[in-house]
Amino acid sequence: QVQLVQSGAEVKKPGSSVRVSCKASGGSFSGNAISWVRQAPGQGPEWMGGIIPISGSTIYAEKFQGRVTITADASTSTASMELSSLRSEDAAVYYCARVMGMTPVTPAFDCWGQGTLVTVSS
Amino acid sequence: QSALTQPASVSGSLGQSITISCTGSSSDVGSYNLVSWYQHHPGKAPKLIIFEVTRRPSGVSDRFSASKSGNTASLTISGLQAEDEAAYYCCSYASSATRVVFGGGTNLTVL
């Protein structure tokens, strides 16, 4: 049974960048796409983008294009998401999620990380 | 504002059934059989309970069922149990540049 373990909470200043990692254990990493989803307080989840670890191919939601970078390292079974030019509205819990299949935009996420709280404050 | 519209809250008594709606558009729910539902207890990771509109992952109770009609998907929970009290989110593939859209969530209270 695969588990996704994310890096710890972060406090960042506006304008800076944050990097959240997601390490898979107990199962296949390269056999599924990984997506990143965030949830701001009081709001619904928001899909940011995803990656096919075996190829490194990425796809991003238009809203985050140019500001988000998703990478994966199959040798360490770790995916990462970096969001730049942080602003207050980026404060949220960020999740990595395994996709049921190889396409990051397939909306079926069968395993989630525990979430990483990102606070943006000056 | 979320792309998919869900009621903010629903409630039901132990043993009863409830249905949560998820209304989208012809650009998402209405055009693709790629709707999923998630159960989210506070402080825990979301859990996939329905994918591809009606399919349940292995291990998910058959008290959870779902359907779709036009631009609206629905999740039904029968035989309500105390542990069903959680937030529920729908999710769909979208042809827009957003690609994957979620609902705003529905908080279920079990009375």
Side-chain angles (χ1 to χ4, degrees), chain B residues 14-99:
Chain B
L14 285 168
Q16 287 189 329
S17 296
I18 61 94
T19 297
I20 299 171
S21 62
C22 169
T23 302
S25 70
S26 58
S27 298
D28 39 65
V29 174
S31 291
Y32 306 96
N33 289 324
L34 292 172
V35 177
S36 54
W37 290 88
Y38 300 86
Q39 178 190 63
H40 193 190
H41 288 104
K44 299 185 74 176
K47 177 185 178 181
L48 176 67
I49 54 174
I50 295 287
F51 67 103
E52 292 178 1
V53 180
T54 61
R55 300 179 66 183
R56 279 189 310 274
S58 174
V60 172
S61 171
D62 60 4
R63 296 187 299 105
F64 294 92
S65 63
S67 62
K68 188 185 82 165
S69 177
N71 296 337
T72 299
S74 299
L75 172 72
T76 297
I77 309 173
S78 58
L80 276 175
Q81 299 180 0
E83 58 262 35
D84 298 332
E85 189 162 290
Y88 292 84
Y89 297 95
C90 60
C91 177
S92 174
Y93 176 78
S95 59
S96 68
T98 307
R99 302 301 186 107

Side-chain angles (χ1 to χ4, degrees), chain A residues 17-78:
Chain A
S17 298
V18 68
R19 185 180 180 90
V20 180
S21 66
C22 169
K23 184 173 175 61
S25 63
S28 168
F29 175 73
S30 298
N32 298 76
I34 295 287
S35 274
W36 286 86
V37 175
R38 76 177 188 181
Q39 186 167 19
Q43 296 185 26
E46 186 174 30
W47 184 80
M48 300 178 68
I51 188 167
I52 303 172
I54 199 169
S55 67
S57 177
T58 55
I59 185 167
Y60 302 121
E62 183 178 57
K63 174 178 178 177
F64 299 100
Q65 196 87 30
R67 219 165 50 98
V68 68
T69 303
I70 296 173
T71 56
D73 182 344
S75 67
T76 60
S77 299
T78 302

